[in-house]
Amino acid sequence: MTLDELARSTGEWLATGGPLSDVVISSRIRLARNVADQPFLSRASREQRTEIERTLFEAVAACNFGQSTFYIDVDKSDPLDRQLLVERHLISRQHADAEGSRGVAIASSETFALMINEEDHLRIQVMRRGLNLDEAWEETTRVDSALESLVDFAYHQRYGYLTACPTNVGTGLRVSVMLHLPALKLTGEMEKVFRAAKDMRLAVRGLFGEGTDALGDFFQVSNQVTLGENEEDILSAFKANVIPSVVKYEQEARRVLQKDQLAILDDKIWRAFGLLQNARTMSTEEALYLLSHLRMGVVLKRVQNVNLDAINELFLAIQSAHLQKRQGTKLDGEHRSILRAQLIRDCLARATTNKN
Amino acid sequence: MTLDELARSTGEWLATGGPLSDVVISSRIRLARNVADQPFLSRASREQRTEIERTLFEAVAACNFGQSTFYIDVDKSDPLDRQLLVERHLISRQHADAEGSRGVAIASSETFALMINEEDHLRIQVMRRGLNLDEAWEETTRVDSALESLVDFAYHQRYGYLTACPTNVGTGLRVSVMLHLPALKLTGEMEKVFRAAKDMRLAVRGLFGEGTDALGDFFQVSNQVTLGENEEDILSAFKANVIPSVVKYEQEARRVLQKDQLAILDDKIWRAFGLLQNARTMSTEEALYLLSHLRMGVVLKRVQNVNLDAINELFLAIQSAHLQKRQGTKLDGEHRSILRAQLIRDCLARATTNKN
């Protein structure tokens, strides 16, 4: 697997067909781990940092995860390649922008990625399409155990796993679910979600995590605190309460829109479709916004002849690094916008049959 | 001819194919006349007003204009019918909204309309598609002479024709040309036109005359003063200087857009086309704005498969009274917007062949 091949595929987290996939895009689980007897990265020397990367790289290489992995030396990577990894949610923007020895090991199916020397020495991230925390958790523990059999992780009898940031101490677990909430956005009811999340001590963030806006009506809901909670409780709260509530809100909003405001709903959907099929230049933000409305139209069967896979593929393909990798050349913003619009037109033309 | 039939036709002034019709929509000539020995309308009693209408109505009926005319009693008309006449530029909004005896005689081809008891007792208006002031002037003098052979018009040896407003005294002539200037609007160069117009003591107004904005990038250029000028001078200034200059500005702006900003130009055009073909609800203002861009695209052959007649027809058909007359029922704003979007989609589907 190469980054060029990666740039042409959809990836696990945006693939269609997972459970509740009309609302839930993907489920992610992350564990924070640090190598015992090595300083946290904020206090590590360059040499120690390199030593930590080597230790973890070798452990990853020695593990049998049931599928192959490939390793990207992020420190030596081209900025465009780093950006590609951020767009695919395989590494964080912080990891892309940092300095010093660091990398990421990516499962060839993209169901997991192991960031080395991000905020912690090791971040295990496991992704699944739709709402599928059980499978994600099963793989997480499998990857974690495989690595723990080779590496000693910093662990405290009383506090649990030790991490660079106190909010991660304990389980080091973050559960996060990416939701597509266009109807709640349209009806102006996102406040409901924010309130419910706050009551449950959860964070609601945009497409690219902390500090990013709700691009394309995508929202990540995740736990904020791990200390003093155990893994099972966090996971079952998500499965039993958090996600079902938000999904219900969104489905109710979609029902109301279809019942009482069908013309307005259809107008949003079809305008998005019309612009995506016709524009000659388009920013990433606008494309995400319009694709979001088109996706809602397809899921609600208001648009009947467009392949949902194609739309999900576009959510990634229109992003700047993906565009440039596919094109095989660096482009300025103006040319990216022209190429983006063309890619969308071509892709929708292929993905549209004459059924409407 | 009935108003219902009128509502389904395009009318002379928006028909395609006139001279310079890529930029010049239509040419209009108006003469202001008043019946001698009758007071101006601001001083006329109800009875005198009725008497004036009768005198002029009978003269119109007795004239042979070379084509039939039909008379609308504006005072007794339904507000929707009056609005229809305003949308077709057959009467002014003032004439629609006024009170007391008044009417309009309309040539069955819509090449002229005679407003009775508007600001003056009689307003002769002659319309032609494209830049065609010669033909319009020829018909104007023919209609004027025919009426003058039956009615004594107020005329002063020294000042010329006497009119209710001093700006019309003299020839009573207003020449006005409707221009479609989307490229100057896009390049932000309308200032050029306003400056040139000011230098030549001309007014530049929107689609519906004084106080209306430049809806759909349509601008009317007209003379402001008639006293002390003779008809031929006013007309030749329009033909030789005013209109050719503005047409040249617009054509130059279109050339520059195509040469240096083709992606931006195409984006405007195709977005408009995409929205017109897909929206489910649309205001008059937005429809005019988008039709204007699509018209430019068709004229510049950036869009190759859409019939220009259909677009010109839509400029009228999407307006509120036209919509309701065609539908045969009064509708609130929300339903008009839905119907408007549907009419546009249907009309463009019929007018589009699969050539792009």
Side-chain angles (χ1 to χ4, degrees):
Chain A
M1 179 71 84
T2 67
L3 286 183
D4 288 317
E5 286 163 10
L6 214 60
R8 292 175 183 281
S9 68
T10 301
E12 172 66 19
W13 70 274
L14 260 175
T16 51
L20 283 182
S21 68
D22 58 333
V23 179
V24 184
I25 301 294
S26 63
S27 309
R28 301 170 68 87
I29 290 181
R30 178 268 274 161
L31 290 181
R33 297 288 183 260
N34 289 274
V35 179
D37 305 323
Q38 286 280 13
F40 287 136
L41 292 167
S42 54
R43 292 172 156 271
S45 66
R46 277 184 59 189
E47 291 68 29
Q48 286 171 319
R49 203 182 160 98
T50 305
E51 173 64 24
I52 295 164
E53 191 194 10
R54 188 178 318 119
T55 303
L56 288 167
F57 171 79
E58 286 170 0
V60 169
C63 276
N64 176 10
F65 296 116
Q67 61 176 308
S68 63
T69 60
F70 61 105
Y71 192 78
I72 311 286
D73 182 331
V74 176
D75 191 38
K76 296 208 178 72
S77 292
D78 184 270
L80 196 60
D81 289 342
R82 292 182 205 162
Q83 175 63 20
L84 183 88
L85 295 170
V86 172
E87 289 174 2
R88 296 186 82 79
H89 289 221
L90 294 169
I91 67 172
S92 62
R93 198 173 296 283
Q94 292 70 30
H95 201 47
D97 296 344
E99 290 189 353
S101 301
R102 66 199 190 283
V104 60
I106 301 167
S108 55
S109 67
E110 282 187 88
T111 55
F112 68 83
L114 310 170
M115 277 194 286
I116 294 176
N117 287 353
E118 202 243 21
E119 186 179 286
D120 294 294
H121 297 166
L122 176 68
R123 289 271 174 109
I124 299 170
Q125 313 174 89
V126 176
M127 292 76 81
R128 281 295 181 283
R129 66 187 74 182
L131 183 61
N132 199 343
L133 289 167
D134 290 335
E135 220 181 287
W137 178 240
E138 190 274 322
E139 182 161 41
T140 306
T141 52
R142 198 150 37 82
V143 171
D144 185 34
S145 304
L147 288 165
E148 201 153 21
S149 70
L150 301 175
V151 184
D152 217 7
F153 288 139
Y155 185 84
H156 184 280
Q157 274 306 83
R158 185 162 159 215
Y159 300 127
Y161 287 99
L162 300 177
T163 56
C165 175
T167 57
N168 292 318
V169 169
T171 61
L173 174 71
R174 175 170 283 172
V175 176
S176 104
V177 174
M178 178 87 78
L179 299 153
H180 185 225
L181 307 177
L184 286 170
K185 196 80 188 295
L186 273 180
T187 56
E189 293 174 294
M190 274 304 299
E191 206 38 57
K192 269 190 183 175
V193 177
F194 292 123
R195 239 186 350 251
K198 206 180 156 196
D199 290 348
M200 302 192 231
R201 295 195 299 167
L202 301 173
V204 181
R205 302 191 176 88
L207 183 56
F208 289 103
E210 291 177 55
T212 65
D213 282 342
L215 286 171
D217 309 323
F218 290 114
F219 296 88
Q220 290 184 53
V221 178
S222 52
N223 62 318
Q224 300 198 83
V225 179
T226 79
L227 186 64
E229 314 228 4
N230 70 49
E231 290 91 340
E232 281 67 28
D233 290 346
I234 297 173
L235 283 165
S236 21
F238 265 81
K239 287 188 293 182
N241 299 323
V242 186
I243 303 306
S245 309
V246 179
V247 168
K248 220 172 66 187
Y249 291 154
E250 171 67 16
Q251 285 171 338
E252 179 58 21
R254 291 181 187 182
R255 237 189 318 274
V256 169
L257 282 174
Q258 288 182 89
K259 193 166 152 284
D260 301 334
Q261 302 188 55
L262 193 59
I264 293 171
L265 177 71
D266 276 348
D267 191 54
K268 286 273 178 202
I269 292 167
W270 285 94
R271 279 173 182 259
F273 196 18
L275 288 173
L276 290 165
Q277 287 177 304
N278 286 285
R280 260 50 183 174
T281 170
M282 192 174 280
S283 69
T284 309
E285 290 67 27
E286 186 186 12
L288 290 173
Y289 174 82
L290 297 174
L291 286 168
S292 168
H293 284 167
L294 179 56
R295 185 183 194 279
M296 174 170 58
V298 172
V299 166
L300 297 181
K301 300 195 172 33
R302 304 302 307 166
V303 175
Q304 307 230 338
N305 60 349
V306 181
N307 186 326
L308 192 59
D309 290 319
I311 299 173
N312 280 12
E313 187 192 329
L314 280 173
F315 277 115
L316 268 182
I318 55 140
Q319 295 187 43
S320 294
H322 276 77
L323 264 186
Q324 294 172 85
K325 288 296 279 188
R326 278 180 176 223
Q327 190 71 3
T329 174
K330 296 198 182 185
L331 297 164
D332 63 23
E334 189 187 328
H335 286 95
R336 285 203 300 274
S337 293
I338 292 172
L339 187 66
R340 180 178 296 116
Q342 195 187 322
L343 172 78
I344 295 170
R345 292 200 307 282
D346 293 348
C347 180
L348 288 179
R350 280 195 309 275
T352 306
T353 55
N354 260 335
K355 264 192 237 144
N356 278 311
Chain B
M1 178 70 85
T2 68
L3 287 184
D4 288 318
E5 287 162 8
L6 213 60
R8 292 176 182 281
S9 68
T10 301
E12 173 66 18
W13 71 275
L14 261 175
T16 51
L20 282 182
S21 67
D22 57 334
V23 179
V24 184
I25 302 294
S26 64
S27 308
R28 301 171 69 88
I29 288 180
R30 178 268 275 161
L31 290 181
R33 297 288 184 260
N34 289 274
V35 178
D37 305 323
Q38 286 281 14
F40 287 135
L41 291 167
S42 54
R43 293 173 156 272
S45 66
R46 277 185 59 188
E47 291 68 29
Q48 286 169 318
R49 204 182 159 100
T50 304
E51 173 64 23
I52 295 163
E53 190 194 9
R54 188 178 317 118
T55 303
L56 288 168
F57 171 79
E58 285 170 1
V60 169
C63 275
N64 175 10
F65 296 116
Q67 61 177 306
S68 63
T69 60
F70 61 106
Y71 192 77
I72 310 287
D73 183 331
V74 176
D75 191 37
K76 296 209 178 72
S77 292
D78 184 90
L80 196 60
D81 289 342
R82 292 182 205 162
Q83 175 63 19
L84 183 88
L85 296 170
V86 172
E87 290 174 3
R88 296 186 81 79
H89 290 221
L90 293 169
I91 67 173
S92 62
R93 197 172 298 282
Q94 292 70 30
H95 201 45
D97 296 343
E99 290 188 353
S101 300
R102 67 199 191 283
V104 61
I106 301 166
S108 55
S109 68
E110 282 186 90
T111 55
F112 68 83
L114 311 170
M115 278 194 288
I116 295 176
N117 288 353
E118 202 243 22
E119 186 179 285
D120 293 294
H121 298 166
L122 176 68
R123 289 271 173 108
I124 300 170
Q125 313 173 92
V126 176
M127 291 76 79
R128 282 294 182 283
R129 67 187 73 182
L131 183 61
N132 199 342
L133 288 167
D134 290 334
E135 220 183 286
W137 178 240
E138 190 275 322
E139 182 160 42
T140 306
T141 52
R142 198 150 38 81
V143 171
D144 185 34
S145 304
L147 287 165
E148 201 153 22
S149 69
L150 300 175
V151 183
D152 217 6
F153 289 139
Y155 186 84
H156 184 279
Q157 274 308 84
R158 187 165 158 213
Y159 300 126
Y161 288 99
L162 301 177
T163 55
C165 176
T167 58
N168 292 319
V169 168
T171 61
L173 174 70
R174 175 170 284 171
V175 176
S176 103
V177 174
M178 179 87 78
L179 300 153
H180 185 225
L181 307 177
L184 286 170
K185 196 80 187 296
L186 273 181
T187 56
E189 292 174 296
M190 275 304 298
E191 204 39 55
K192 269 189 182 176
V193 177
F194 292 122
R195 237 184 354 249
K198 205 178 158 198
D199 290 348
M200 301 191 233
R201 295 197 297 168
L202 302 173
V204 181
R205 302 189 177 90
L207 183 56
F208 288 104
E210 289 176 58
T212 65
D213 281 341
L215 286 171
D217 309 323
F218 290 114
F219 297 87
Q220 290 183 54
V221 178
S222 53
N223 63 317
Q224 301 197 83
V225 180
T226 79
L227 186 63
E229 314 229 4
N230 71 49
E231 290 90 340
E232 281 68 27
D233 290 345
I234 298 172
L235 283 164
S236 24
F238 265 81
K239 287 187 292 181
N241 298 323
V242 185
I243 303 306
S245 308
V246 179
V247 169
K248 219 172 66 187
Y249 291 155
E250 171 67 17
Q251 285 171 338
E252 179 58 21
R254 292 181 185 181
R255 239 191 317 275
V256 169
L257 282 174
Q258 288 182 88
K259 193 167 153 285
D260 302 334
Q261 302 189 55
L262 193 58
I264 292 170
L265 178 70
D266 276 349
D267 190 55
K268 287 271 178 204
I269 292 167
W270 285 94
R271 279 172 181 259
F273 196 18
L275 288 173
L276 290 164
Q277 287 176 304
N278 286 285
R280 260 51 183 174
T281 170
M282 193 174 278
S283 69
T284 308
E285 290 68 26
E286 186 187 11
L288 289 173
Y289 174 82
L290 297 174
L291 285 168
S292 167
H293 284 166
L294 179 57
R295 185 184 193 279
M296 173 170 59
V298 172
V299 166
L300 296 181
K301 299 194 173 36
R302 303 303 306 167
V303 175
Q304 307 231 337
N305 61 350
V306 181
N307 186 327
L308 192 59
D309 291 319
I311 299 173
N312 280 11
E313 187 192 328
L314 279 174
F315 277 114
L316 268 181
I318 55 140
Q319 294 186 44
S320 295
H322 276 77
L323 265 186
Q324 294 172 85
K325 288 295 279 187
R326 278 180 177 223
Q327 190 70 5
T329 174
K330 296 198 181 183
L331 296 165
D332 63 23
E334 189 186 328
H335 286 95
R336 286 204 301 274
S337 293
I338 291 172
L339 187 67
R340 180 177 297 114
Q342 194 187 321
L343 172 78
I344 295 170
R345 291 200 308 281
D346 294 347
C347 180
L348 288 179
R350 280 195 308 275
T352 306
T353 54
N354 260 337
K355 263 191 238 144
N356 278 312

